[in-house]
Amino acid sequence: MNPKKAIPSFLFLFFCIVSQGQIDKNAPAVEADVVIYGGTSAAVIAAVQVKKMGKSVVVVSPDKHLGGLSSSGLGYTDTGNKSVIGGLARTFYQKIYNYYQEPSTWKWQDQDSYGNIGQGTPAIDGTQRTMWIFEPHIAEKVFEDFVSENQITVYRDEYLNRETGVKKTGNRISSITTESGLSFKAKVFIDATYEGDLMASAGVSYTIGRESCDTYKEQWNGVQPEVFHHSHHFGNLRISPYNTPGDPESGLLKGISTEAPGAKCDGDHRIQAYCFRVCMTRVKENRIPFEKPEGYDPEQYELLVRLYGKGWDETFNKFDPIPNLKTDTNNHGPFSTDYIGMNYEYPEADYQKRREIVKAHETYQKGLFYFMANDPRIPEEVRKEFGQWGLAKDEFADNGHWPYQIYVREARRMIGRYVMTEHEILGEKTVPDPVGMGSYTLDSHNVQRYITSEGYVQNEGDIGVHPDNPYRISLGSILPEQKECDNLVVPVAVSSSHIAFGSIRMEPVFMILAQSAATVAVMAIEQHKSVVQDLEYASLRKQLEADGQVLESASSQNH
């Protein structure tokens, strides 16, 4: 989108100057009560809450476009039980609703012709004046509206210097510096990145990968071979992993690990696969046909050919409809858009390596689309139908119509004052001091593709266990231990086990926790000289509830 359409011209000029680095790098550090690092939906929501509570705030964003996955293709929202989405998170979806009440928003179809299909409930809820399914550029407009309406200062395209950019005095962050040389001081900092970069650079404990089942006495953590909760596996199709089927001497097909998967419940370094949530359309006037990407390698997709050869026919099951005859296209099936096993280095990688990993994912996924639309080995009926699709011309216009943000399903996870586990998610353990609620399935995408003992290919790590009721999320899960850092709050890379994070990691929950994190920051400044761990919970809860946060579930009924 053109940012000029979303924010007043004087603010746009300021943002351009900030984004393009036309600021004196030798100037004194920028100071605010709260500094937020990140460009995600959580970063924007946290900033709005700080402003609403009367404190100064600055957002330092490595991204040019705000909103993270919420404005980068994930428009078919994983909401779970909508009744527990309150506060500014609900305001976001109400603002989405308002845009779609304008006839001009419906460019490629009439509102009456939209199927109104959501996840378990209608996409448009007229009674609650909320809309849960949306186009990427509309979401970005809403985030820019939040920024302009609240006069929030955003420094864009500013990457934290992860080596030397975090200065601490004792166990307090005194300042952060970006790679361009800009410095920022605050009483409290909020890390709103998917990766937990500020948290890690501040010396806060964290983990990456899957804990063993024994670590927190969980059932669904660790390696889970032969556990198939969704349809994202090869099941009993018995597909050979070798270049010449059945011949190990011929070498492995691409994308299959030579490592043993590990024993059931073992912990490991592996994380959920990433992909891009791509916005597609079949409207010819708005369609960019899939093109062969640089570095295209059709050999990467041989497993898909063999899958079709076994009769698999679920190609279009996750072309989820969003308004204006577009999709939020997600991974589906044994071989799809998830680039399984190719992201293990991402959480700890430097920025250049991360860019390389992201580019590899982009090349893989673009190549997959081109392959499915053009390669004669794809069944003709699939190839013809896939060829009718393309990238939406009116989305991500300055990025080749490709999403800005890769889907970082998990990266680092803090080890904080309270660790959320499957026991809390499934209602087996009481959660102290709630600052928000979640309700989505314990949902992990595959983490590896390996060779079974019988000599066939299989995926592992895809778990889906649904909690009976919404669950509370503890204040301690967004707070580091005080001895490690006493003026940092972490609402995205939260303190949780791998499998618990599979439920918590939903965009509405990140927004909920971000509002609570900002409330903690402001109240800590007001009451306890910025020591966030000293905040008295009763007063925090009173403020959260006054601001519309839902901390207890009155009903499992969706609203």
Side-chain angles (χ1 to χ4, degrees):
M1 88 171 206
N2 181 352
K4 290 184 178 179
K5 295 182 179 179
I7 54 180
S9 58
F10 74 92
L11 281 174
F12 177 73
L13 177 60
F14 172 75
F15 291 147
C16 282
I17 292 173
V18 169
S19 297
Q20 295 169 10
Q22 298 175 20
I23 290 181
D24 182 3
K25 306 302 184 183
N26 297 316
V30 177
E31 295 193 40
D33 292 314
V34 179
V35 167
I36 299 165
Y37 181 61
T40 61
S41 60
V44 177
I45 293 299
V48 172
Q49 180 66 12
V50 172
K51 269 303 193 74
K52 286 185 176 296
M53 294 184 72
K55 296 298 182 184
S56 60
V57 64
V58 167
V59 175
V60 183
S61 172
D63 309 305
K64 295 179 182 178
H65 296 268
L66 300 178
L69 262 296
S70 286
S71 60
S72 210
L74 207 167
Y76 195 77
T77 310
D78 293 328
T79 48
N81 188 320
K82 297 170 180 63
S83 69
V84 300
I85 301 173
L88 290 172
R90 181 164 285 260
T91 300
F92 170 79
Y93 297 105
Q94 289 170 337
K95 285 177 171 286
I96 294 285
Y97 174 90
N98 291 340
Y99 266 108
Y100 282 103
Q101 293 307 298
E102 299 176 8
S104 61
T105 305
W106 296 90
K107 182 176 181 180
W108 303 109
Q109 71 178 141
D110 297 325
Q111 183 173 350
D112 292 341
S113 69
Y114 174 58
N116 203 24
I117 299 171
Q119 292 218 35
T121 58
I124 305 172
D125 186 336
T127 303
Q128 296 291 322
R129 299 185 65 80
T130 52
M131 187 161 176
W132 306 95
I133 311 297
F134 47 84
E135 298 160 274
H137 75 275
I138 295 296
E140 187 172 6
K141 284 183 179 181
V142 171
F143 289 118
E144 294 293 357
D145 289 346
F146 272 132
V147 167
S148 60
E149 291 164 3
N150 294 277
Q151 298 184 342
I152 295 167
T153 302
V154 181
Y155 290 79
R156 304 176 192 236
D157 202 20
E158 289 290 341
Y159 287 78
L160 176 69
N161 181 331
R162 289 158 53 194
E163 299 299 321
T164 61
V166 177
K167 302 298 184 185
K168 292 178 72 176
T169 303
N171 58 353
R172 299 181 60 75
I173 301 173
S174 54
S175 69
I176 66 172
T177 301
T178 64
E179 292 203 321
S180 73
L182 282 176
S183 291
F184 301 86
K185 291 183 177 180
K187 297 171 183 174
V188 178
F189 292 82
I190 295 175
D191 183 342
T193 63
Y194 293 121
E195 297 84 1
D197 280 344
L198 176 54
M199 168 196 75
S201 297
V204 172
S205 297
Y206 62 87
T207 189
I208 299 170
R210 298 183 289 187
E211 297 90 351
S212 70
C213 293
D214 287 341
T215 303
Y216 299 114
K217 308 303 178 186
E218 294 175 295
Q219 179 179 358
W220 301 114
N221 211 336
V223 180
Q224 297 284 330
E226 304 301 315
V227 175
F228 305 131
H229 287 170
H230 299 112
S231 58
H232 312 315
H233 57 86
F234 291 91
N236 297 317
L237 293 179
R238 300 171 73 87
I239 293 176
S240 175
Y242 304 111
N243 288 318
T244 300
D247 180 11
E249 298 300 319
S250 65
L252 279 178
L253 297 178
K254 294 191 175 182
I256 301 173
S257 175
T258 59
E259 296 181 10
K264 185 174 176 61
C265 278
D266 280 354
D268 63 15
H269 65 288
R270 302 180 178 101
I271 57 177
Q272 296 189 55
Y274 297 171
C275 69
F276 289 90
R277 299 289 286 256
V278 177
C279 187
M280 296 183 180
T281 185
R282 286 188 290 190
V283 177
K284 289 185 179 180
E285 298 84 353
N286 195 37
R287 179 173 66 92
I288 305 290
F290 299 121
E291 297 179 350
K292 182 190 299 186
E294 184 178 351
Y296 174 67
D297 179 6
E299 292 184 8
Q300 284 198 307
Y301 314 111
E302 173 62 25
L303 267 179
L304 180 61
V305 173
R306 296 184 187 183
L307 186 61
Y308 281 123
K310 293 287 187 178
W312 184 79
D313 63 351
E314 300 175 16
T315 305
F316 303 100
N317 282 28
K318 285 301 292 179
F319 281 49
D320 292 317
I322 63 175
N324 280 310
L325 300 176
K326 300 175 188 176
T327 71
D328 168 357
T329 305
N330 194 13
N331 178 82
H332 180 78
F335 189 98
S336 185
T337 57
D338 280 359
Y339 200 17
I340 297 172
M342 303 301 169
N343 61 345
Y344 301 154
E345 294 181 78
Y346 180 87
E348 296 278 58
D350 61 27
Y351 296 127
Q352 180 56 37
K353 181 62 177 178
R354 282 185 185 169
R355 293 184 188 103
E356 292 171 4
I357 294 169
V358 170
K359 186 63 178 177
H361 279 71
E362 179 182 335
T363 300
Y364 164 81
Q365 199 163 336
K366 285 181 174 179
L368 175 64
F369 295 155
Y370 178 82
F371 185 84
M372 294 181 73
N374 293 279
D375 196 284
R377 291 175 292 169
I378 297 295
E380 183 178 9
E381 64 275 14
V382 174
R383 190 170 70 250
K384 286 184 175 180
E385 183 172 353
F386 208 97
Q388 297 174 19
W389 292 92
L391 302 179
K393 188 183 297 184
D394 58 354
E395 300 289 350
F396 316 118
D398 62 347
N399 198 47
H401 312 286
W402 192 257
Y404 305 120
Q405 172 69 55
I406 195 170
Y407 196 169
V408 179
R409 289 190 170 95
E410 66 174 326
R412 300 185 184 96
R413 301 186 310 280
M414 179 171 64
I415 302 175
R417 301 194 88 192
Y418 190 94
V419 180
M420 293 287 293
T421 70
E422 70 179 43
H423 304 296
E424 287 82 0
I425 308 301
L426 298 177
E428 300 167 354
K429 188 175 180 180
T430 301
V431 179
D433 302 341
V435 290
M437 299 195 74
S439 62
Y440 202 75
T441 302
L442 290 168
D443 181 31
S444 172
H445 279 233
N446 283 303
V447 306
Q448 62 178 327
R449 178 172 287 142
Y450 69 100
I451 306 168
T452 68
S453 58
E454 293 83 16
Y456 300 106
V457 65
Q458 190 53 271
N459 297 336
E460 185 274 322
D462 189 77
I463 301 295
V465 179
H466 188 68
D468 291 334
N469 297 294
Y471 58 87
R472 308 193 302 178
I473 302 172
S474 177
L475 168 62
S477 69
I478 64 173
L479 295 178
E481 293 285 2
Q482 184 172 345
K483 64 183 179 181
E484 293 184 340
C485 193
D486 68 11
N487 66 334
L488 175 67
V489 194
V490 185
V492 178
V494 297
S495 179
S496 70
S497 70
H498 156 80
I499 196 60
F501 193 75
S503 175
I504 295 170
R505 65 181 177 86
M506 304 305 154
E507 289 287 299
V509 178
F510 287 155
M511 288 190 263
I512 290 166
L513 296 180
Q515 181 176 353
S516 295
T519 306
V520 169
V522 171
M523 292 186 69
I525 291 170
E526 292 176 339
Q527 298 180 18
H528 296 285
K529 298 181 181 179
S530 322
V531 177
V532 293
Q533 292 85 356
D534 285 350
L535 187 62
E536 194 266 326
Y537 177 72
S539 60
L540 171 64
R541 180 174 183 130
K542 183 177 180 180
Q543 181 68 52
L544 294 177
E545 291 180 331
D547 289 336
Q549 292 281 58
V550 179
L551 306 180
E552 304 287 347
S553 177
S555 168
S556 60
Q557 180 78 28
N558 280 346
H559 293 294

